[in-house]
Amino acid sequence: MPALVAGIVIAVPVVMVLLAGLFDGAGDAWTHIRETLLLRYLGGTLSVLALTGALCLLFAVPSAWLVTMFRFPGRAVFEWLLILPLAAPGYVLAYAWADLAGVGGPVQSALREATGWSARDYWFPDINSLPGLAFVLACTLYPYVYLTARSAFVSQSVCALEAARSLGAGPGRSFWSVALPAARPAIAAGLALALMEAAADYGAAEFLGVPTLTFGIVRAWKSFGEPAAAARLAFVLIGLIAVLIVTERWGRGRAGSQQSSIRWRHVSRTQLTGLSAIGASVSCLVLFLAAFGLPVGRLVWRSVETGPGAAPIWDALGNSIILAGSGAVFAFILALMIVLAARAKGPAAFFARASAISGYSIPGAVLALGALAIIGLLPLTLSGGVALIALAWVYAARFTAAGTEPMAAALARAPASLSHAARSLGASPSRQAFEVDLPIALSGAAVAALILFVEALKELPATLMLRPFNWDTLSVRAYAYASDERLAAAALPSLLITLAGLVPVILLSWQLSRSRPGETQ
Amino acid sequence: MKRILAVAGPVLGLALGLAACGNPAPPAATPEAPVAPAEEAPAPAGAAGTINVYSARHYDSDKAMYAAFEAETGIRVNVRESGAPELLETMRAEGERSPADVIIASDAGALYRFQDAGFTQGVTSDKLSAVIPETLREKDGNWFGLAKRARIIVYDPQVVSADEVDTYADLADARLKGEVCVRSSTNIYNLSLMGEIIGRSGAEAAAAWAEGVVANMARDPQGGDTAQIDAVAAGECAVALVNHYYWVRLAAGSPEDRLKTNRTQLSFPDQEGNGTHVNVTAAAVAAHSKSPELAIQFIEYLATPHGQELLTAETKEFPVVSGAAVPAGLEQIPGFKESDFPLSELGTHQPEAQAIFDRAGWN
């Protein structure tokens, strides 16, 4: 029952949009889009997803393994530095990287200055391209995979690894044959989140000029004035995400792994020496600089150069925290309801999880259209409390999946024998849910709560559409300046979003390093 | 765990309850959403009323403009800033209950959409008719242009000469192969320019022009207008299509920015022909405004010399009212012949403009 309620709450804005796509005539715009652009959009999205996914894995899994299992210079710092990019929205990284690496930016200017070349005399990687977009998205999204992979590596029994070692497996083989398969569900869950985010990204794709489905959805609506055509494209996007998820589930099969050992031991991280130690440090440093240090440093430079703008930025900070907080609370409760019900494996639970996931893959602008459609049916205007509730609702519809996935992953790693024991001792399903499953799920809840808050803080299009009068948020300010091509002015709100996101990110990292069983450091 | 449920239960209940009930409680009632200081507070004692402005502009200076109007008239101004399409959808959802009194958008085509959807009303104001040129306002008073911009060509004088880029048609000329930088066709500035080309020369000629420009592109459309100026200054291409004020803002910017403008020249196209394409920031009175008189008063204020100054100081648009002070930096822009194409027609051509761009492969 709670799952059904949660599923419906999430599904309503999604369904409103899809109904519009089905029943409203989408007109000439749809015919035009189908004939001229659909393949380009589909190809664009598929390529971005493939490349972003590959880069996310490449950035996240080795670094998570390194900081969890080895000792090398800077390890303790990198352990949490590598989560920081999560706090920076994709569109902010896109602004910063385009400014840094663009043809008029400091790097290329210095190059031309030094050589006397013109921009046409040399080759330089183009950030305004599909690989550029994938790079920017991977920079901001790899922490999902890093977090889930690290928490999986952290919480797996050291004994399993030691058993592997004692049977003669080297570190490489232990990783590929023991640790990686055990962590695979968690990694896949993190990757699924990252890819859904990538599929729904609008800000970065638009700024870098890469035609994707989401780009097409917003364009169908803005340039053609056809929300129904936009809704039909949303159908295609949801279909694509569904295929992605089914593939992931099917690939995993029924294979999951169970921790059977109850013996947790203090982990003795292997000390790296010489070249391998330097290699580990340098690769972590390069990743951190690319994903966070350089672009954010550029923003700091820009905002120092410009000085504060005239707008009251602190009000915007307060508004952002209030809105993101209420959205995160709402989404967190829904996620909890869904995850606990999912243990019962009924159709309601399946429906709830599916609706959460489809909400996550839909751009905020489209969900906001759904919310507006609901408001249009009721005797309401979009002001005051209605606007706040509508916005919190859209945040919940959009981001609940970001909470369900880490919590479900935490539950999936718990030994099935625990719930069997509870049932055999005569616990009712609800008692089992509250006394056995909930505490386990809550171990993944810190990750969930963090992701929900940071996501809501970064959300742009729905906030732009639904916020109450006189309620600017940081993302709205950053967008307003950047869309008006005043990147220097956009730097400060962009930095503040990142800063506001950093606090929970650091809390999370601290909680994670404490959560390791047997960890004393 | 019990603690979590004890907090979570009421919060969710309250959220759902509020969502379900038609008459929303004040926002202060939700524990996670305390009321914002400025949120629809009752008008101060002795105030002359309140207007709600839906604005598609995002300038800090607009806040000063609203404050100046409040100080002068005692009328309180509430603002919702968003993109024009977002505001349009919001108004569609709100229907007759919409609280909007004034709509401001930075494009005549955008205003046309509001008008076409029935969200503006025809207004007669002798003051506005007297000071705003007829070509810059809608004939039935559905909207009034308040600030003006020109879509011009920025070029590298070392590569092309002024007479090679003195018309929009030049951008499609094979001489400029590999020399043209433009931004995405989704951008309203390009859509409006294309709207004028369709309106003047027909769809076929417009398509041929778009194909010609695409064939001349130095790179895929990317970035904003400032990025196009960057590219010309860096030598990546020799010509680009931009709004005049982006160049003016760079010229008033940091030493690096000024270096970019020093390397480039401006061309105001079609001086021998129809004149340079212009567009306006315009305001309309919302169809269901509860206080149309106050709304008109506000728009009239924006058409006073002081209002014009506040409206254009930061944007570097041209004032439309003669005698109004020109914002700093614009004095270096020469006088030019403007196109007299009716701005109210731009919006009607917009979907067709996008379709032509799409078919030409102009992303």
Side-chain angles (χ1 to χ4, degrees):
Chain A
M1 191 57 191
L4 197 62
V5 173
I8 290 172
V9 168
I10 295 167
V12 169
V14 184
V15 169
M16 289 299 289
V17 172
L18 296 186
L19 284 182
L22 271 186
F23 295 116
D24 286 3
D28 297 341
W30 174 244
T31 316
H32 167 72
I33 289 168
R34 204 184 53 216
E35 287 169 359
T36 319
L37 302 165
L38 188 57
L39 274 181
R40 203 192 302 170
Y41 290 155
L42 202 57
T45 291
L46 284 173
S47 317
V48 168
L49 289 184
L51 205 51
T52 307
L55 287 175
C56 277
L57 289 176
L58 184 72
F59 292 171
V61 178
S63 53
W65 179 245
L66 276 177
V67 298
T68 312
M69 300 305 294
F70 299 94
R71 240 188 289 240
F72 53 90
R75 185 209 70 83
V77 185
F78 287 126
E79 186 172 42
W80 65 270
L81 277 187
L82 290 178
I83 310 179
L84 298 193
L86 190 61
Y91 52 84
V92 166
L93 283 191
Y95 304 157
W97 264 114
D99 183 46
L100 202 58
V103 72
V107 179
Q108 291 203 50
S109 295
L111 181 69
R112 287 192 301 272
E113 216 46 51
T115 55
W117 289 335
S118 127
R120 271 181 274 205
D121 298 334
Y122 60 93
W123 179 87
F124 199 84
D126 187 3
I127 196 81
N128 290 280
S129 65
L130 198 147
L133 174 64
F135 169 74
V136 162
L137 288 178
C139 281
T140 168
L141 297 174
Y142 86 84
Y144 288 121
V145 187
Y146 173 80
L147 277 174
T148 49
R150 205 181 109 198
S151 83
F153 291 145
V154 158
S155 64
Q156 68 193 333
S157 167
V158 180
C159 302
L161 285 175
E162 287 193 348
R165 297 265 184 98
S166 69
L167 291 169
R173 185 133 180 250
S174 307
F175 173 72
W176 288 110
S177 313
V178 180
L180 198 57
R184 224 187 103 191
I187 292 174
L191 188 62
L193 279 183
L195 291 185
M196 280 188 272
E197 267 296 312
D201 165 81
Y202 172 70
E206 199 247 352
F207 189 79
L208 299 177
V210 180
T212 62
L213 275 169
T214 307
F215 182 87
I217 288 171
V218 179
R219 171 151 144 169
W221 167 47
K222 289 192 175 177
S223 293
F224 293 106
E226 290 278 9
R232 290 185 187 197
L233 280 175
F235 254 125
V236 178
L237 184 59
I238 294 176
L240 193 71
I241 297 291
V243 170
L244 200 85
I245 288 166
V246 169
T247 313
E248 189 266 311
R249 294 276 141 89
W250 175 78
R252 202 198 306 171
R254 304 192 59 82
S257 72
Q258 299 285 341
Q259 302 285 355
S260 55
S261 171
I262 51 161
R263 291 173 52 230
W264 300 98
R265 295 248 319 269
H266 181 81
V267 192
S268 49
R269 292 198 174 91
T270 310
Q271 177 73 51
L272 294 179
T273 51
L275 274 184
S276 45
I278 296 170
S281 299
V282 167
S283 59
C284 287
L285 182 67
V286 167
L287 177 57
F288 171 73
L289 285 179
F292 195 83
L294 287 175
V296 173
R298 176 66 181 167
L299 290 178
V300 172
W301 174 264
R302 279 288 213 163
S303 63
V304 169
E305 206 178 44
T306 342
I313 203 82
W314 301 111
D315 287 357
L317 177 66
N319 291 343
S320 294
I321 290 173
I322 291 166
L323 278 178
S326 40
V329 168
F330 199 173
F332 186 80
I333 294 165
L334 293 176
L336 207 56
M337 287 159 75
I338 291 173
V339 169
L340 291 182
R343 288 297 249 186
K345 293 197 168 62
F350 176 79
F351 157 74
R353 195 134 171 221
S355 76
I357 284 172
S358 58
Y360 198 65
S361 65
I362 297 183
V366 178
L367 285 177
L369 282 179
L372 285 177
I374 297 164
I375 290 172
L377 294 177
L378 303 171
L380 298 173
T381 57
L382 188 62
S383 54
V386 176
L388 282 175
I389 291 167
L391 195 51
W393 191 353
V394 165
Y395 285 156
R398 172 100 172 73
F399 297 124
T400 296
T404 56
E405 299 308 297
M407 280 196 260
L411 268 183
R413 284 197 313 273
S417 56
L418 261 185
S419 33
H420 296 161
R423 297 302 282 275
S424 69
L425 290 169
S428 67
S430 65
R431 190 160 168 217
Q432 186 205 329
F434 282 118
E435 296 188 6
V436 180
D437 294 340
L438 184 60
I440 298 171
L442 285 180
S443 72
V447 183
L450 163 85
I451 291 177
L452 291 175
F453 179 77
V454 176
E455 282 299 344
L457 195 68
K458 298 190 292 189
E459 205 285 334
L460 176 65
T463 315
L464 204 56
M465 289 175 68
L466 298 177
R467 74 197 192 285
F469 281 115
N470 308 329
W471 265 64
D472 275 0
T473 65
L474 292 173
S475 58
V476 167
R477 299 280 356 134
Y479 166 81
Y481 292 129
S483 70
D484 198 49
E485 304 180 26
R486 286 174 297 159
L487 194 74
L492 185 62
S494 299
L495 277 175
L496 284 177
I497 299 173
T498 310
L499 206 65
L502 278 182
V503 177
V505 168
I506 289 168
L507 280 179
L508 165 84
S509 183
W510 177 71
Q511 193 267 351
L512 266 184
S513 21
R514 276 177 66 236
S515 71
R516 178 171 184 151
E519 184 77 89
T520 51
Q521 292 166 348
Chain B
M1 178 192 77
K2 281 196 180 122
R3 254 194 338 223
I4 290 171
L5 288 175
V7 176
V11 170
L12 183 65
L14 193 58
L16 290 176
L18 282 175
C21 80
N23 199 3
T30 42
E32 73 275 31
V35 67
E39 166 68 13
E40 287 165 25
T50 300
I51 53 167
N52 295 317
V53 176
Y54 279 28
S55 171
R57 285 170 42 119
H58 317 280
Y59 291 93
D60 289 349
S61 59
D62 287 5
K63 294 187 168 56
M65 180 173 89
Y66 301 130
F69 176 71
E70 282 184 351
E72 200 154 304
T73 61
I75 298 169
R76 207 184 134 67
V77 183
N78 280 322
V79 185
R80 169 173 285 136
E81 284 181 1
S82 193
E86 286 88 347
L87 292 172
L88 185 66
E89 282 313 310
T90 306
M91 292 188 74
R92 220 184 284 272
E94 292 171 337
E96 291 182 13
R97 296 181 306 271
S98 176
D101 296 303
V102 176
I103 303 163
I104 299 178
S106 338
D107 184 275
L111 259 308
Y112 165 82
R113 283 214 192 163
F114 285 95
Q115 184 189 342
D116 189 45
F119 296 150
T120 62
Q121 52 174 287
V123 163
T124 25
S125 156
D126 294 340
K127 283 189 191 165
L128 292 175
S129 310
V131 296
I132 300 173
E134 210 172 331
T135 50
L136 302 181
R137 52 186 157 91
E138 204 274 335
K139 61 179 174 24
D140 297 322
N142 275 289
W143 50 261
F144 298 89
L146 295 167
K148 205 165 48 180
R149 73 195 45 167
R151 193 109 183 110
I152 61 172
I153 296 174
V154 161
Y155 66 96
D156 180 347
Q158 296 185 320
V159 182
V160 294
S161 60
D163 60 350
E164 284 179 295
V165 287
D166 57 7
T167 65
Y168 293 110
D170 285 333
L171 295 175
D173 193 303
R175 259 178 326 178
L176 293 182
K177 190 155 186 59
E179 297 293 353
V180 178
C181 279
V182 287
R183 69 190 289 171
S184 161
S185 66
T186 312
N187 184 262
I188 191 81
Y189 308 142
N190 286 341
L191 288 172
S192 287
L193 173 61
M194 183 54 117
E196 176 166 347
I197 295 175
I198 294 171
R200 284 194 184 277
S201 327
E204 240 173 83
W209 180 76
E211 282 160 23
V213 177
V214 171
N216 284 346
M217 284 181 187
R219 57 180 193 185
D220 286 339
Q222 57 176 248
D225 282 10
T226 311
Q228 313 310 321
I229 302 172
D230 280 356
V232 174
E236 190 169 17
C237 42
V239 294
L241 199 51
V242 302
N243 284 352
H244 76 275
Y245 50 82
Y246 290 108
W247 191 89
V248 173
R249 288 183 207 164
L250 282 181
S254 66
E256 295 141 56
D257 287 344
R258 283 200 296 277
L259 207 60
K260 289 170 188 167
T261 51
N262 289 342
R263 284 183 184 151
T264 53
Q265 298 272 339
L266 306 184
S267 157
F268 285 76
D270 291 351
Q271 290 302 296
E272 309 290 314
N274 296 318
T276 298
H277 171 76
V278 293
N279 207 328
V280 285
T281 289
V285 177
H288 305 294
S289 167
K290 312 288 179 294
S291 326
E293 310 77 28
L294 301 188
I296 295 171
Q297 196 183 341
F298 175 70
I299 298 174
E300 286 173 348
Y301 175 76
L302 296 184
T304 62
H306 188 224
Q308 288 276 291
E309 197 184 324
L310 291 167
L311 191 70
T312 57
E314 189 180 352
T315 67
K316 309 295 182 194
E317 291 169 292
F318 300 105
V320 298
V321 172
S322 60
V326 172
L330 271 195
E331 64 285 345
Q332 51 185 322
I333 299 281
F336 63 97
K337 178 181 169 190
E338 293 168 29
S339 164
D340 60 357
F341 187 78
L343 294 179
S344 42
E345 248 186 65
L346 294 178
T348 54
H349 296 301
Q350 191 177 319
E352 193 181 7
Q354 184 70 68
I356 288 175
F357 278 133
D358 288 343
R359 280 193 292 269
W362 184 329
N363 283 338

